[in-house]
Amino acid sequence: MTLALPAAAQVYQWRDAQGRINYSDTPPPAGTAKTVKPAARSPAPAVANDAPEQPADSGTQKPAADGSAQGTAGEAGKAAAGKADPSKPKTMAEKETEFRQRRVAAAEAEAKAEKERQKAAELARSCSEARAQIVGLKNSRRISRYNSEGQRELMDSAERTAEIERSQKYVDQNCK
């Protein structure tokens, strides 16, 4: 983390009682400090970029519906003119747009894959239950179930056979 001092700040230099040189933006209480002029700073190095510098556009940035910043009015005009020239390097705005589009596509693909996983897990559970029901119907001597009035009824062999066929049909159609 760097600390940027204001351009007009004064810097004081003085020697303390132990003989050490101190620098501060506030003068020492003794008043024996001298004002030091800060060294001139060179401008920050430019980032290497193959694209030629373009003149500054007086347009302002406007937030998009998704919260990202769109380009200036000049960039909007370039985008409206059609696809970017492939011989020119992409601007940061174009790279950002492509990145966001890739993220959205990846999120949609992940959501679709998750939905398919959940559907497959539900189908596997249903198939397992249907197979267990078939085994239970074939191996049990007496099967009962509750009717609409909540009373227990024993299944006769015709009902049992019909239930086995219904469950087997479900397994054949859905469980492969």
Side-chain angles (χ1 to χ4, degrees):
M1 186 166 154
T2 61
L3 176 67
L5 295 175
Q10 290 184 337
V11 178
Y12 300 94
Q13 174 186 3
W14 74 93
R15 288 195 183 267
D16 61 8
Q18 289 82 20
R20 290 180 283 195
I21 298 176
N22 294 299
Y23 296 92
S24 176
D25 60 344
T26 58
T32 60
K34 61 180 177 179
T35 304
V36 178
K37 189 172 191 176
R41 293 186 172 194
S42 61
V47 176
N49 189 357
D50 295 337
E53 285 191 30
Q54 298 181 7
D57 195 355
S58 62
T60 58
Q61 287 193 348
K62 300 175 186 175
D66 63 356
S68 64
Q70 291 181 341
T72 60
E75 291 173 338
K78 292 176 196 171
K83 291 187 176 182
D85 184 9
S87 64
K88 293 183 181 177
K90 294 181 180 178
T91 65
M92 288 303 291
E94 291 170 334
K95 289 178 183 179
E96 179 72 18
T97 301
E98 288 177 359
F99 174 72
R100 287 180 186 269
Q101 289 172 346
R102 285 192 308 268
R103 282 184 47 193
V104 166
E108 288 173 353
E110 180 63 29
K112 183 178 179 183
E114 180 62 27
K115 189 175 182 180
E116 289 176 5
R117 281 192 293 269
Q118 289 176 351
K119 185 177 178 181
E122 178 64 26
L123 183 62
R125 185 190 61 75
S126 296
C127 289
S128 176
E129 288 176 1
R131 288 184 181 115
Q133 184 176 5
I134 292 170
V135 170
L137 288 167
K138 288 182 178 179
N139 294 338
S140 296
R141 293 192 179 163
R142 297 173 84 183
I143 301 288
S144 65
R145 58 176 147 181
Y146 294 97
N147 63 15
S148 61
E149 298 169 358
Q151 297 175 350
R152 192 171 168 182
E153 294 179 337
L154 289 175
M155 291 177 72
D156 62 8
S157 61
E159 290 175 326
R160 185 184 227 164
T161 303
E163 189 65 26
I164 290 172
E165 288 175 4
R166 187 188 66 77
S167 296
Q168 188 62 50
K169 184 178 177 183
Y170 177 83
V171 169
D172 292 342
Q173 287 178 350
N174 300 308
C175 309
K176 296 177 182 177

